[in-house]
Amino acid sequence: DDMRGYLALGGVYASKEDYAGAAKVYDRAVERIEAKKFSMPGDPKDVANWNVYYQRGIAYERLKQWPKAEPSFRKALELFPNQPQVLNYLGYGLVDRGEKLDEALGMIEKAVAADPQQGYIIDSLAWAMFKLGRYDEALDPMERASLLEPVDPIVTDHLGDVYWAVGRNREAGYQWQRALSYDPTEEQAKRIQRKLWAFGYAVRSLDGHDWAHVFDALTAQAVGKPTAIVARTVKGWGTTE
């Protein structure tokens, strides 16, 4: 058997956001690996199969089944130690859950050393420092991540959080509004809007296709606090202040 077929099929499911279907494909691949009937042609070493475990970990993480995802990531690292994508994904997953933070930071630091120009990995490093309460240390890598990933909603949202933590509140609000303009998921957008409201912004949501409503919102009198106007269009969320 050849793992490339399983990876290709699982990738098709994942591209359609059918992570349950992808997980089933990768589970079958792992069964073949562990039965010693599955390897990369021309490479008899088990290291060739690390990506199956990595992709399975991603599928289960997207399904919010972390107890199944974490062992897959760790198995991928066992097969391919210091692989930067796996180190970053596992490290970030632990950080985001507030688990094993020192270990997670160490993983992400290794990932940055191996691939120092990847903004999403530098974002993970900054976010780990943020979660550890090391806000001043998080600032420089967070700004570097934003330069490398200038239109990523998660990186921009994280930059806003770091700015808020170090007392740069107006810049934080500006970054959160920028994050809303970069087509976040609906869940991400709602979380960012809640922060804008909680930290002193009036948030007005409206249909971005109804230009009369947009015009009224832009010309409305101030309500006593900065206003973030959130407009939904086919291309995503847009904001103005």
Side-chain angles (χ1 to χ4, degrees):
D1 287 326
D2 181 347
M3 79 170 187
R4 293 175 297 185
Y6 289 93
L7 287 168
L9 181 57
V12 170
Y13 282 110
S15 69
K16 298 178 180 179
E17 298 186 356
D18 182 358
Y19 298 110
K24 289 179 181 178
V25 172
Y26 298 132
D27 283 342
R28 290 201 299 271
V30 167
E31 289 175 5
R32 303 298 287 178
I33 292 171
E34 295 179 352
K36 303 297 184 183
K37 296 179 179 179
F38 189 52
S39 65
M40 174 69 80
D43 186 351
K45 297 180 181 179
D46 286 341
V47 67
N49 298 318
W50 72 272
N51 199 23
V52 173
Y53 289 95
Y54 175 52
Q55 297 299 332
R56 184 170 73 158
I58 292 174
Y60 278 119
E61 188 274 334
R62 296 295 178 87
L63 291 169
K64 301 186 185 301
Q65 297 183 36
W66 185 251
K68 290 185 176 180
E70 184 178 351
S72 291
F73 291 133
R74 291 190 182 277
K75 181 62 177 181
L77 281 179
E78 179 185 325
L79 296 175
F80 194 163
N82 299 324
Q83 209 290 332
Q85 293 177 339
V86 184
L87 285 167
N88 179 67
Y89 212 115
L90 175 55
Y92 183 87
L94 292 170
V95 166
D96 214 38
R97 288 161 179 76
E99 300 174 3
K100 307 167 188 171
L101 292 179
D102 290 332
E103 180 190 15
L105 179 59
M107 289 179 177
I108 296 168
E109 287 174 337
K110 288 181 181 179
V112 171
D115 200 351
Q117 296 304 313
Q118 289 292 344
Y120 67 93
I121 295 180
I122 298 173
D123 168 72
S124 298
L125 176 63
W127 196 238
M129 291 177 174
F130 178 88
K131 286 286 193 173
L132 287 166
R134 294 159 56 177
Y135 306 127
D136 290 332
E137 291 178 71
L139 183 58
D140 178 67
M142 195 72 257
E143 289 181 329
R144 283 194 289 126
S146 181
L147 289 173
L148 291 166
E149 302 286 348
V151 294
D152 185 284
I154 295 175
V155 172
T156 307
D157 179 30
H158 286 171
L159 179 60
D161 289 358
V162 173
Y163 277 152
W164 186 269
V166 298
R168 294 164 62 172
N169 298 355
R170 187 168 183 80
E171 291 169 276
Y174 175 67
Q175 296 302 330
W176 289 329
Q177 290 179 71
R178 286 183 63 231
L180 283 175
S181 73
Y182 296 149
D183 198 21
T185 65
E186 186 172 351
E187 180 181 350
Q188 291 166 350
K190 288 180 179 178
R191 184 184 67 248
I192 296 167
Q193 289 178 58
R194 287 195 296 269
K195 283 190 287 192
L196 284 165
W197 179 262
F199 295 129
Y201 284 75
V203 180
R204 296 188 62 180
S205 299
L206 47 86
D207 181 355
H209 298 98
D210 188 334
W211 291 108
H213 286 176
V214 173
F215 180 79
D216 288 345
L218 291 172
T219 57
Q221 290 185 343
V223 294
K225 61 175 74 173
T227 302
I229 300 168
V230 183
R232 181 66 175 171
T233 70
V234 292
K235 292 185 177 180
W237 294 92
T239 65
T240 187
E241 178 181 5

